[in-house]
Amino acid sequence: MSLLPISSPHQHGPARTQKVMLQVIWALIPAILLHVWLFDWGILFNIVLLTLFSLGVEAAMLYLRRRPILPAISDGSAAVTAILLALTIPPLSPWWICLIGAIIAIGLAKQLYGGLGFNPFNPAMVAYVALLISFPQQLTQWQAPLSHIGHDIAFIEAAVIVFNAAPMDTLTYATPLDNYHSGLTIGQSIDNLDSNQLFRVFGGVANEQINLLILLGGLYLLWRGTIRWQVPVAMLATLFLLSSLFYLIDSDRFASPLFHLLGGGAMLGAFFIATDPVSGATSERGRLIFGAGVGLFTFIIRTWGGYPDGVAFAVLLMNMAAPTIDYYTRPPVFGQPSRQ
């Protein structure tokens, strides 16, 4: 005899986890292709290695937990986590960085909490912060754009670098955010830093174009209803307003608002990371507060913190605050009076 759940009103949603994850991957493809065009093969090695390692770690953890393996690894969530982490670590990172990142993201931050839907922190950001703190040398060796290197990186050359058979010192450079952070720390002015050849108009050579395509992918997710508008709008508006205020106060000491929006991981964080429905706030007002908090902490860490970019730290800090935000912003139960 079948038992039908008829005691409460239920609404069937057409969205499936696999469909949502595929939409996220589709939205990231233009930015990934441009990344390959500007930086060559490095990002593809990151994505392939992290995806394979993440699926392997997820299968192993599900086997140890005696849970069905195929439905979980085929829902696309591990692949999305792998791609997001691949976009945050330097291209051409050593293969073992990808392996450790997959173990932390999938094994520790996701499966040890019960799997998809139970993780209190964004797995990709947990792994990124753990790698950044544990391996600062490897996580700061960002590949320079091909226009600065002067030659293309062949597939075989990239493979040799990734599997750690060759150094990549001659291919790396300080990112625009690194340059700003270290320059302002020693008292250089914004005008002096802007004269560096790494900078173009907004967020640095190549970075601004990639961030614009990530913005385009985020708008696609909004159009498809995959993400809600509150988190990205609140985060980017807060970051824009704070950076504009301090830029107007002293344009020699604080970067422009466009630099903050199109430099580093602001766009990726706003549309693809802070919008994680599991680790973020759930109510509409809660999502606005959550996004504003991510923008606030991103600006504070970038401006006065010890790391050039603060998006990952800001997301994790607000992940911790999400349950409290939900408690004070949850809508009233149907038929009950509003909370006072």
Side-chain angles (χ1 to χ4, degrees):
M1 181 178 68
S2 62
L3 299 177
L4 298 177
I6 58 175
S7 61
S8 301
H10 298 279
Q11 184 176 12
H12 176 75
R16 293 288 183 270
T17 301
Q18 190 178 52
K19 181 180 178 181
V20 170
M21 297 301 166
L22 282 175
Q23 287 175 348
V24 174
I25 293 173
W26 281 118
L28 286 170
I29 284 178
I32 293 172
L33 292 178
L34 180 62
H35 204 293
V36 174
W37 175 264
L38 296 171
F39 292 92
D40 243 329
W41 300 97
I43 192 67
L44 291 184
F45 274 94
N46 281 1
I47 291 174
V48 171
L49 288 176
L50 268 165
T51 302
L52 292 176
F53 289 145
S54 296
L55 292 175
V57 171
E58 181 133 86
M61 291 295 295
L62 290 168
Y63 175 78
L64 293 174
R65 296 179 57 216
R66 302 178 185 277
R67 298 299 177 89
I69 296 176
L70 187 58
I73 64 173
S74 62
D75 65 13
S77 60
V80 168
T81 298
I83 293 172
L84 292 177
L85 181 57
L87 291 170
T88 60
I89 65 176
L92 298 174
S93 292
W95 66 270
W96 51 268
I97 284 285
C98 298
L99 175 59
I100 296 174
I103 293 173
I104 296 173
I106 304 298
L108 299 181
K110 181 181 177 183
Q111 286 297 330
L112 283 188
Y113 284 99
L116 182 65
F118 298 95
N119 50 289
F121 300 98
N122 184 285
M125 292 301 95
V126 172
Y128 171 73
V129 169
L131 291 172
L132 180 63
I133 295 173
S134 304
F135 308 102
Q137 181 180 356
Q138 288 77 12
L139 266 290
T140 52
Q141 287 188 323
W142 285 90
Q143 181 188 331
L146 295 179
S147 58
H148 287 247
I149 296 174
H151 73 278
D152 292 341
I153 302 175
F155 182 85
I156 298 299
E157 182 185 3
V160 170
I161 294 171
V162 168
F163 291 99
N164 215 23
M168 58 178 295
D169 293 343
T170 58
L171 304 179
T172 60
Y173 80 136
T175 65
L177 277 177
D178 287 329
N179 200 284
Y180 257 114
H181 190 267
S182 58
L184 292 173
T185 302
I186 61 176
Q188 295 186 43
S189 67
I190 293 292
D191 286 339
N192 186 30
L193 294 170
D194 282 345
S195 64
N196 191 306
Q197 61 176 348
L198 294 174
F199 300 95
R200 185 172 292 174
V201 181
F202 302 131
V205 172
N207 297 307
E208 59 207 22
Q209 298 98 314
I210 293 173
N211 269 312
L212 286 172
L213 283 188
I214 291 176
L215 169 62
L216 185 64
L219 295 177
Y220 166 76
L221 293 181
L222 286 173
W223 173 64
R224 295 300 302 266
T226 307
I227 60 175
R228 305 291 184 86
W229 62 269
Q230 289 91 351
V231 170
V233 168
M235 175 188 166
L236 296 178
T238 302
L239 187 59
F240 178 81
L241 291 174
L242 285 174
S243 55
S244 298
L245 174 64
F246 282 87
Y247 183 71
L248 290 173
I249 293 173
D250 190 348
S251 60
D252 278 338
R253 290 186 54 214
F254 299 98
S256 71
L258 285 179
F259 180 83
H260 275 283
L261 293 181
L262 296 177
M267 290 297 169
L268 188 68
F271 290 99
F272 292 89
I273 297 173
T275 50
D276 179 3
V278 177
S279 56
T282 56
S283 65
E284 291 186 356
R285 284 191 300 147
R287 286 193 289 268
L288 287 171
I289 297 171
F290 184 92
V294 174
L296 170 66
F297 284 119
T298 298
F299 179 76
I300 291 174
I301 295 171
R302 279 183 175 182
T303 306
W304 297 286
Y307 292 95
D309 202 351
V311 173
F313 293 96
V315 169
L316 294 181
L317 288 171
M318 292 310 295
N319 285 161
M320 287 191 287
T324 302
I325 294 173
D326 276 341
Y327 177 80
Y328 286 104
T329 61
R330 61 186 177 186
V333 177
F334 182 73
Q336 299 296 319
S338 302
R339 290 170 56 88
Q340 298 299 317

